């Protein structure tokens, strides 16, 4: 028997699935874009949560990171970009989201992500964490690596959209003029 999504909906069984794609996005890379687009293909609504990672010293303010994301994935109809400062589970609950989507690049990500998923579940057990494996072409990519390559004069154009590339180079020039 074929059961369509409409069939469930007409019986009032389907809940709107809102997922949060959280991160510091300092700044957004092609790796993030891949995960956000794939999440948008799975969930009814995806809220990209631009959050503070207390362990990192950001190059971009939350507003700047949010703007760069809006320019990058803001045209996807079921994607919304929101900045937030606080607990991820509170952010998710505020937006009626029951799923957190994270990208897993390699085994090295696993322990940290596992710890965060368990902690978040302990804080709010109505929220599940789902992991998407990063596409093989983005496995090595992180915002920190991109900034490091840029600082050392390498070509960062394969890793980020053009306007993000220009913003990173601007930051690097500003940093070197402050020295
Ligand atoms: O892109 P990042 O830096 O790996 O993202 C980490 C982030 C921002 C998702 C994480 O630090 C986070 O959830 N911050 C919000 C504060 C919080 O809820 N901390 C407890 C989670 S264990």
């Amino acid at each position: 028997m074929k059961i369509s999504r409409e069939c469930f909906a007409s019986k009032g069984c389907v809940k709107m699935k809102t997922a949060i794609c959280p991160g510091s996005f300092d700044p957004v890379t092609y790796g993030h874009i891949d995960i956000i687009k794939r999440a948008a293909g799975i969930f009814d609504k995806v809220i990209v949560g631009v959050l503070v990672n207390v362990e990192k010293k950001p190059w971009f303010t939350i507003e700047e990171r949010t703007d760069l994301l809006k320019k990058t994935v803001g045209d996807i109809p079921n994607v919304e970009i929101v900045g937030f400062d606080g607990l991820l589970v509170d952010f998710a609950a505020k937006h009626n989201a029951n799923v957190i989507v994270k990208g897993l690049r390699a085994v090295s990500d696993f322990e940290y992500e596992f710890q965060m998923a368990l902690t978040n579940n302990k804080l709010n057990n109505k929220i599940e964490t789902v992991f998407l494996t990063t596409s093989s072409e983005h496995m090595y990519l992180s915002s920190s690596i991109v900034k490091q390559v840029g600082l050392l004069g390498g070509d960062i154009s394969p890793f980020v959209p053009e306007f993000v590339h220009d913003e990173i180079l601007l930051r690097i020039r500003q940093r070197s003029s402050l020295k």
Side-chain angles (χ1 to χ4, degrees):
M1 186 174 69
K2 193 170 168 245
I3 302 173
S4 70
R5 170 183 268 248
E6 288 70 26
C7 166
F8 273 111
S10 67
K11 289 183 165 58
C13 302
V14 160
K15 280 198 260 170
M16 167 102 168
K17 283 280 176 205
T18 300
I20 302 286
C21 264
S24 33
F25 304 103
D26 186 50
V28 59
T29 69
Y30 284 134
H32 298 127
I33 297 169
D34 169 53
I35 296 293
I36 295 166
K37 283 186 173 168
R38 284 164 55 206
I42 299 170
F43 297 97
D44 297 307
K45 185 173 176 186
V46 171
I47 299 173
V48 180
V50 187
L51 291 144
V52 174
N53 185 338
V54 284
E55 281 157 26
K56 292 181 182 170
K57 206 163 167 260
W59 279 27
F60 296 88
T61 64
I62 288 217
E63 290 73 27
E64 289 164 339
R65 289 182 255 156
T66 306
D67 282 349
L68 290 175
L69 273 156
K70 282 184 180 161
K71 281 191 195 163
T72 315
V73 289
D75 60 340
I76 304 173
N78 60 336
V79 171
E80 198 182 320
I81 297 114
V82 184
F84 187 77
D85 177 358
L87 277 178
L88 173 56
V89 288
D90 292 345
F91 177 76
K94 188 176 163 204
H95 292 275
N96 296 318
N98 27 27
V99 180
I100 292 167
V101 177
K102 300 285 317 247
L104 267 190
R105 286 168 300 196
V107 179
S108 52
D109 279 347
F110 184 76
E111 207 169 325
Y112 171 65
E113 294 295 345
F114 193 63
Q115 186 184 28
M116 281 206 289
L118 290 178
T119 308
N120 285 330
N121 192 259
K122 197 79 184 162
L123 292 170
N124 184 338
N125 64 9
K126 291 190 184 75
I127 299 172
E128 296 286 354
T129 299
V130 168
F131 293 108
L132 293 182
T133 47
T134 309
S135 310
S136 53
E137 59 183 304
H138 301 120
M139 270 184 76
Y140 58 92
L141 209 49
S142 72
S143 303
S144 316
I145 286 284
V146 175
K147 288 182 287 192
Q148 191 185 108
V149 172
L151 267 176
L152 298 171
D155 177 18
I156 56 169
S157 57
F159 312 136
V160 290
E162 200 179 332
F163 51 88
V164 178
H165 167 277
D166 295 348
E167 284 298 326
I168 294 174
L169 293 194
L170 184 66
R171 288 305 135 108
I172 291 169
R173 279 198 294 276
Q174 284 168 349
R175 282 170 160 243
S176 55
S177 69
L178 288 175
K179 280 181 192 160

